[in-house]
Amino acid sequence: RKEVEQDPGPFNVPEGATVAFNCTYSNSASQSFFWYRQDCRKEPKLLMSVYSSGNEDGRFTAQLNRASQYISLLIRDSKLSDSATYLCVVATGFQKLVFGTGTRLLVSP
Amino acid sequence: DVKVTQSSRYLVKRTGEKVFLECVQDMDHENMFWYRQDPGLGLRLIYFSYDVKMKEKGDIPEGYSVSREKKERFSLILESASTNQTSMYLCASSDPGTSGINEQFFGPGTRLTVL
């Protein structure tokens, strides 16, 4: 079983739609959680950290459920520029990150 | 603005060659990492370093070694390149800070093809 599992997609949505991605992790001792974004042929970049209380950054909302070992990302009012691969990332130890394989999002006009 | 640079964007080598991939960061970060990224497998950690001359094995260290002689530079070495090492190689750096796990900043990647 992979440490971090994501639906690879692609998710095809029209502009303005709301889309949600989910991720599960297997290590109950995981300490920190993140969503990274990776554009085609580019390097990953931090999108947002994920906290137990949930957090929001503009159109993006992240949630963590430690009991179910489940992380989510909600994108509201999708833009064309949101097209990318979204990587679920879990920190399992000293500065060490484990990456999911990513969920691809395609936003169309 | 943090900048992580890698010596080459594209590299083509032959089986058995010794390959050096160089990474430099300009933000005085203590931690540096080497990953490879393959379709369907995501990013996998090869080696990381939390200080000069210190190194730790990641999840897939076999066939690789690293060197960190200066804080800003972290090199990945393929002692004898093989075709299964054809991949995208990504370097990253981070600062441990005081609040735990901090953001990793990535370089643009080196696409290595081993023929």
Side-chain angles (χ1 to χ4, degrees):
Chain A
R1 185 187 170 187
K2 289 181 180 174
E3 279 193 73
V4 179
E5 297 213 51
Q6 296 182 251
D7 181 341
F11 284 58
N12 290 283
V13 302
E15 271 187 293
T18 295
V19 62
F21 306 136
N22 302 320
C23 164
T24 57
Y25 61 95
S26 60
N27 187 343
S28 60
S30 298
Q31 302 164 359
S32 305
F33 309 88
F34 310 90
W35 284 100
Y36 275 66
R37 171 192 168 130
Q38 186 171 23
D39 293 312
C40 189
R41 302 184 196 282
K42 298 279 192 178
E43 70 273 20
K45 293 184 179 179
L46 179 66
L47 178 66
M48 58 197 303
S49 300
V50 187
Y51 305 115
S52 297
S53 54
N55 48 303
E56 192 173 305
D57 183 1
R59 299 181 292 108
F60 297 83
T61 301
Q63 296 275 357
L64 167 65
N65 184 321
R66 283 187 185 269
S68 301
Q69 295 182 202
Y70 166 98
I71 305 159
S72 66
L73 177 68
L74 182 77
I75 305 175
R76 290 180 299 277
D77 189 23
S78 298
K79 311 290 184 191
L80 294 176
S81 58
D82 293 335
S83 296
T85 296
Y86 291 83
L87 306 174
C88 178
V89 184
V90 173
T92 60
F94 181 78
Q95 301 294 321
K96 188 181 168 189
L97 302 182
V98 179
F99 287 78
T101 53
T103 297
R104 193 166 168 220
L105 172 65
L106 299 171
V107 182
S108 54
Chain B
D1 220 18
V2 175
K3 196 165 183 184
V4 180
T5 56
Q6 296 182 226
S7 49
S8 307
R9 288 303 302 272
Y10 299 94
L11 208 52
V12 180
K13 295 291 182 181
R14 297 205 175 272
T15 301
E17 280 193 78
K18 190 168 186 175
V19 181
F20 294 86
L21 302 182
E22 305 284 342
C23 175
V24 177
Q25 51 94 3
D26 67 358
M27 282 302 290
D28 203 35
H29 283 172
E30 293 185 17
N31 303 320
M32 296 188 75
F33 307 83
W34 274 107
Y35 296 89
R36 63 178 283 178
Q37 186 172 29
D38 301 287
L41 297 176
L43 276 88
R44 293 179 292 167
L45 183 64
I46 304 171
Y47 267 97
F48 64 102
S49 168
Y50 52 87
D51 202 352
V52 176
K53 296 193 186 294
M54 305 298 286
K55 61 185 178 184
E56 294 284 342
K57 292 181 180 179
D59 299 317
I60 51 163
E62 297 79 19
Y64 303 95
S65 62
V66 291
S67 172
R68 193 161 179 206
E69 297 296 319
K70 294 184 177 182
K71 190 174 185 179
E72 68 272 16
R73 188 179 297 268
F74 192 34
S75 303
L76 180 70
I77 303 150
L78 287 66
E79 295 290 341
S80 177
S82 63
T83 55
N84 62 13
Q85 292 180 308
T86 292
S87 187
M88 172 66 83
Y89 290 87
L90 288 156
C91 175
S93 72
S94 73
D95 187 12
T98 56
S99 58
I101 309 295
N102 279 354
E103 177 181 0
Q104 288 189 12
F105 295 86
F106 285 82
T110 295
R111 182 162 294 282
L112 173 67
T113 302
V114 182
L115 301 175

